[in-house]
Amino acid sequence: MKNLKVIAFTHKHVELKDLGNLVICNEELEDRLVNLKTTLDIPEIFYIATCNRVEFVFCGGHELSDEFVADFMHQMNFCVPAERLQCYLGQVTRYSGMDALNHLFRMSCSLESLVVGEKEILAQVRRAYERCRTAGFTGDYLRLVMDRLVKTAKEVYTYTNISRNPISVVSLAYRKLKETKLPANPRILVIGSGETNQNLAKYLKKHQHSNFVIFNRTLKNAQKLARELNAEAYSLSELSHYKKGFDVMIVCTGSPEAIIDINLYNSLLNGETDKKVVVDLAIPNDIDAEVVAQFPIHYIEVSSLQAIAEKNKQDRYAELENADAIIQQNIQEFLPIVKQRRVEVAMREVPEKIKEIRSFALNEVFAQDLQNLDPQAREVLEKVISYMEKKYIKVPMVMAKEILVKNSQTEIN
């Protein structure tokens, strides 16, 4: 495993806003990796970029010295000033051998993610690998590593609770919404078009909701979200004139005080008296406390969701030990597989070499002797040689694998 290497820039050492400077667009990736492989003599490599990491996974006998990493970054031709690139070199994390393998397993199982337990990281790693595999940048070795990463991550997500309970406010808000008795295709009033409301509205659209109306202080931003949701968009100043009613109100603005008071809420009801669902994801709350007290409302607020999120987060961290046990078990199983594969690759030429020896013996060394044999004797000899040929191919391979397995088990124990 000593040739497995990882050069990583992650949220642990690099500001998230700075990671974007290291992301390589798909159109440029192939040319840059071709240059890197050729210049630094790297047999296999793939590149991963997510919202909180940029990593290069490769194999080779290179020592991850300061000089090598600097040369590596230079060959990748990142579009950043020289002084900024030097700063990145001080923030890089390097992994070699077993440390690299352990890191890749933990990363793919989301143990090293900004949000522990998020499953998307596995899909991102698989897509990154597949893109480089298709382009011819990876080979047999990284294929074995990737196969085991996927197997391990699936086991972690299946046999632990590390990803069971949501820890984002948006996903928790959606779960709470699902628990309420909503009418078919409810009228959804979205007040504020910031990131939180965008995410929740898109979540609802994904789950077949389609009846949205958007209000926002800046009309342009409301219209942008409205295009994605196929909805109407209005300026926040027009909210008091809205008379079409609603079943669900989702509100999250940057206002320092409540924007929905009793009079405005009563106006938005437009005479309707049934119980409404109000999702208030603002801090401080956008819904005045008197509204909650005086009207029949199923009220979902951010502070209660945050408390649930914090508990779920602690539950996830409690599962880290179980997840790590699964990872270590898979690593122990994986090491003999790598060694066996090395033997298989090294011995690929054995069958052809033996066939060449057989052909030379029959057609050159013993050709005259064979001509003097009767057909029955020649047939028997052919059977004996074929039998010996198969044994000479199979026995050494089996013995080599058994020796490697035994040695690997001894090393592990």
Side-chain angles (χ1 to χ4, degrees), residues 56-67:
F56 298 89
V57 182
F58 61 99
C59 64
H62 315 80
E63 181 185 346
L64 299 185
S65 62
D66 292 345
E67 293 76 14

Side-chain angles (χ1 to χ4, degrees), residues 242-243 246 260-272 291 295:
Y242 185 73
K243 300 299 180 183
F246 67 93
I260 308 294
D261 57 18
I262 290 179
N263 292 333
L264 179 54
Y265 187 81
N266 193 50
S267 171
L268 292 171
L269 288 175
N270 196 33
E272 296 178 6
V291 174
F295 292 91

Side-chain angles (χ1 to χ4, degrees), residues 66-117:
D66 292 345
E67 293 76 14
F68 175 81
V69 174
D71 194 15
F72 187 102
M73 296 290 287
H74 175 71
Q75 297 300 333
M76 285 306 298
N77 192 28
F78 290 109
C79 301
V80 294
E83 63 275 9
R84 188 70 194 92
L85 187 60
Q86 194 62 38
C87 182
Y88 281 118
L89 292 174
Q91 299 168 323
V92 67
T93 308
R94 318 164 208 204
Y95 302 93
S96 296
M98 291 301 298
D99 288 340
L101 186 65
N102 192 58
H103 164 72
L104 290 174
F105 275 64
R106 289 177 58 83
M107 176 188 67
S108 299
C109 297
S110 80
L111 272 62
E112 296 190 356
S113 295
L114 189 61
V115 178
V116 171

Side-chain angles (χ1 to χ4, degrees), residues 120-186:
E120 179 60 22
I121 183 63
L122 177 60
Q124 291 169 330
V125 173
R126 293 179 76 173
R127 285 194 296 269
Y129 167 78
E130 189 60 29
R131 184 166 57 243
C132 289
R133 184 199 66 78
T134 302
F137 294 118
T138 66
D140 194 61
Y141 180 70
L142 289 182
R143 176 188 64 79
L144 289 176
V145 172
M146 194 65 212
D147 287 348
R148 182 58 57 154
L149 289 184
V150 172
K151 174 184 178 295
T152 305
K154 286 181 177 179
E155 288 179 5
V156 167
Y157 295 135
T158 300
Y159 299 117
T160 75
N161 291 321
I162 200 165
S163 64
R164 297 279 168 82
N165 298 317
I167 59 176
S168 76
V169 167
V170 169
S171 57
L172 286 167
Y174 176 72
R175 283 200 173 191
K176 288 289 185 182
L177 267 174
K178 282 178 63 178
E179 294 171 3
T180 63
K181 294 182 179 180
L182 296 175
N185 198 23

Side-chain angles (χ1 to χ4, degrees), residues 55 74 97 136 153 183 185 193 254 263 266 304 334 370 377 385 392:
E55 302 197 13
H74 175 71
N185 198 23
S193 61
N263 292 333
N266 193 50
S304 62
F334 180 60
L370 290 173
I385 292 174
Y392 271 113

